Amino acid sequence: MASGTGAGTGTPHTVRWGIMATGLIAEVFCRDLLTDPLSRNVHDVRHTIVAVSSSTSVDKAASFIEKIDGPASAKLYGSYADLVADADVDIVYVATPHSHHFQNAMLALEAGKNVLCEKALTVTAAQARKLVETAEARNLFLMEAVWTRFFPLSIKIRELIASGEIGTVYRTMADLSFNENNEADDGTVTFADEHRMVNKDLAGGALLDLGVYPLTWVFQTLYHLQPEEEKEPPTVVAAVNRYRTGADETTTVLCQFPRHRSMGVATTSVLVGTDPGGNAAAPAIRIQASKGEIQVAHPAFQPTEFRVIKKGGGVDVVACPIPKDPKRNWGHGMFWEADECARCLRDGRKQSDSMPWAESIVIMETMESALDQGGVVYPDHITTDVYDAKSPLNTGRREGAAAV
Ligand SMILES: NC(=O)C1=CN([C@@H]2O[C@H](COP(=O)(O)OP(=O)(O)OC[C@H]3O[C@@H](n4cnc5c(N)ncnc54)[C@H](OP(=O)(O)O)[C@@H]3O)[C@@H](O)[C@H]2O)C=CC1
Ligand SMILES: O=C1OC[C@@H](O)[C@H](O)[C@H]1O
């Protein structure tokens, strides 16, 4: 469902969020939760933050709620286990590094909580399957937080393709690359080796962090719209260049869908940029079809404009700005995925039609295959699919810290 829904249908359904981790994206997501849904013309759902947890300390949770100008009533926890035990929490937002997603999401599901988990859902496909099995067995909602799928822009593009407006889509090329080169141009990037973007202990690397977005465009245009019985996992051919930390720095993934004679090309890098001049001169995404193509402007994760180009001429430019709540002077676009979670919870749906479990799994399989082909090997303790409530990934003991 897009924005602009539910006007005049009575009291909005309010969802009570528990926030797991207090880093950068948790801050952005929570600021979106705190915006007034009416500022995006949403009338049927609302959000409230009832608890925040930090694995570092209660003080960090307190600073977080202050920083985001969040509700003083929110409970503050110094452990993820305390958060998932809170009876007032309807859904847990997991905002930890990739390495932690499986254990943290399991912690929440095992405690009977619904989960929205940041992308990439897990480090391995087996972990993703285990999360889905657990959610299904416990009758809980689970969704990978691929927020772009819930943008009105994405919905419009999926509708355009489904309506046949550009004919049959045969190829999608999508890129999300950040030029993070150091000024010395010595092949090193601005991230320290310990940073989650390049640190293998945190399942860093271009593909899991950025490449998941070009793959989202490949899948939402070439896979998602196919009839259920015709969906086929792609044949995956990948090339990977590894950074000095062993994580991938530049990765290209070819996805071939033989049944539909279509092909996706997803590229990602931390050494070159999709839009180096910052003027959206080249499209980040090209959805190429028999009667024309759709071009989507950078960045692939937060696009606000696309062009429909018909074979033989004719260009329509479609702007899809992200609404701001004037009272908070804020609007990032993550609220649409939160609205989707709220509607699923309200309606008793355990998975989203726009980001279904099976699709998160097939994308994880695709990324796993690409990383395998490129020789990227992550440490055992973050690739295991054996859940351990006492794993340091759940208790927050940092690498090298004394065992508790
Ligand atoms: N949707 C989007 O646009 C974006 C999504 N992301 C995704 O969000 C997730 C988090 O990224 P981001 O917020 O940038 O990361 P940050 O490093 O800023 O925050 C991660 C948080 O996780 C917690 N954490 C627990 N254990 C560790 C550990 N060993 N090392 C580091 N942090 C730990 C910490 O919170 P605490 O101390 O409170 O427990 C920390 O603040 C990733 O999955 C990333 O892919 C990131 C950016 C944008
Ligand atoms: O999900 C993301 O989107 C925005 C990027 O800046 C960030 O690195 C990535 O995690």
Side-chain angles (χ1 to χ4, degrees):
M1 223 190 274
S3 59
T5 50
T9 54
T11 314
H13 178 77
T14 300
V15 164
R16 301 171 302 170
W17 290 85
I19 309 301
M20 185 183 282
T22 58
L24 190 75
I25 203 57
E27 189 183 320
V28 174
F29 180 75
C30 287
R31 286 185 193 278
D32 263 18
L33 285 182
L34 294 168
T35 58
D36 183 348
L38 298 181
S39 62
R40 56 185 177 278
N41 199 22
V42 163
H43 298 255
D44 59 333
V45 292
R46 302 191 76 81
H47 308 278
T48 170
I49 298 171
V50 294
V52 174
S53 68
S54 166
S55 62
T56 309
S57 65
V58 181
D59 285 352
K60 193 167 174 230
S63 310
F64 177 85
I65 209 80
E66 198 180 333
K67 190 171 180 191
I68 61 169
D69 191 17
S73 56
K75 281 178 264 177
L76 306 173
Y77 296 117
S79 97
Y80 297 161
D82 288 347
L83 176 83
V84 303
D86 186 327
D88 291 333
V89 169
D90 295 323
I91 181 167
V92 170
Y93 171 59
V94 176
T96 51
H98 311 147
S99 45
H100 291 48
H101 290 177
F102 170 70
Q103 295 293 347
N104 297 167
M106 283 296 291
L107 185 76
L109 292 170
E110 289 289 345
K113 294 300 182 201
N114 301 295
V115 170
L116 172 67
C117 180
E118 260 310 328
K119 38 59 60 179
L121 183 58
T122 48
V123 185
T124 71
Q127 290 178 333
R129 285 190 285 270
K130 187 76 160 273
L131 287 184
V132 165
E133 279 162 24
T134 307
E136 196 164 28
R138 293 182 159 264
N139 202 26
L140 292 165
F141 172 81
L142 167 71
M143 191 174 95
E144 181 183 6
V146 186
W147 54 310
T148 319
R149 288 204 180 218
F150 305 96
F151 274 41
L153 174 143
S154 289
I155 295 166
K156 275 185 201 161
I157 290 176
R158 293 198 298 264
E159 285 171 356
L160 269 176
I161 295 172
S163 73
E165 183 79 11
I166 56 164
T168 306
V169 181
Y170 285 112
R171 187 171 63 184
T172 294
M173 302 195 284
D175 179 56
L176 180 61
S177 299
F178 286 174
N179 190 333
E180 292 290 344
N181 261 298
N182 274 316
E183 260 174 43
D185 195 12
D186 59 358
T188 63
V189 293
T190 55
F191 305 113
D193 289 357
E194 298 71 35
H195 191 278
R196 70 165 191 84
M197 285 294 291
V198 290
N199 182 348
K200 275 209 311 178
D201 288 334
L202 299 178
L207 185 61
L208 290 181
D209 192 73
L210 303 174
V212 68
Y213 291 106
L215 281 171
T216 290
W217 282 99
V218 165
F219 277 82
Q220 69 170 344
T221 56
L222 300 176
Y223 178 93
H224 184 78
L225 296 169
Q226 300 296 349
E228 219 43 59
E229 64 286 0
E230 284 184 22
K231 283 182 177 158
E232 57 182 335
T235 303
V236 177
V237 179
V240 174
N241 285 345
R242 293 195 302 265
Y243 190 53
R244 66 182 180 196
T245 58
D248 64 306
E249 61 181 24
T250 300
T251 295
T252 295
V253 187
L254 299 181
C255 297
Q256 185 183 22
F257 300 90
R259 182 181 288 159
H260 298 98
R261 297 164 59 205
S262 66
M263 214 172 264
V265 187
T267 57
T268 185
S269 178
V270 288
L271 288 176
V272 292
T274 310
D275 185 25
N279 51 12
I285 296 133
R286 295 182 67 183
I287 302 158
Q288 301 178 301
S290 53
K291 295 183 187 165
E293 79 175 60
I294 296 173
Q295 299 184 341
V296 187
H298 177 77
F301 54 86
Q302 194 193 32
T304 54
E305 188 179 288
F306 69 94
R307 294 161 18 119
V308 184
I309 303 164
K310 293 282 174 59
K311 196 173 169 182
V315 181
D316 279 345
V317 179
V318 185
C320 303
I322 298 169
K324 269 196 169 38
D325 177 345
K327 284 192 231 91
R328 296 189 72 97
N329 191 25
W330 184 265
H332 194 71
M334 302 188 90
F335 35 57
W336 286 308
E337 72 177 344
D339 293 345
E340 171 73 358
C341 295
R343 292 185 183 114
C344 285
L345 295 189
R346 178 195 63 192
D347 301 341
R349 284 181 285 135
K350 304 306 166 195
Q351 56 178 317
S352 160
D353 291 342
S354 303
M355 183 69 267
W357 291 342
E359 209 162 320
S360 281
I361 290 173
V362 79
I363 292 175
M364 277 314 309
E365 287 168 349
T366 301
M367 294 200 288
E368 183 174 84
S369 167
L371 292 168
D372 272 358
Q373 291 176 48
V376 175
V377 182
Y378 289 116
D380 290 346
H381 71 287
I382 64 165
T383 52
T384 178
D385 58 358
V386 177
Y387 167 57
D388 174 8
K390 301 278 183 225
S391 156
L393 302 171
N394 280 327
T395 60
R397 267 187 287 121
R398 299 289 196 258
E399 211 58 37
V404 202

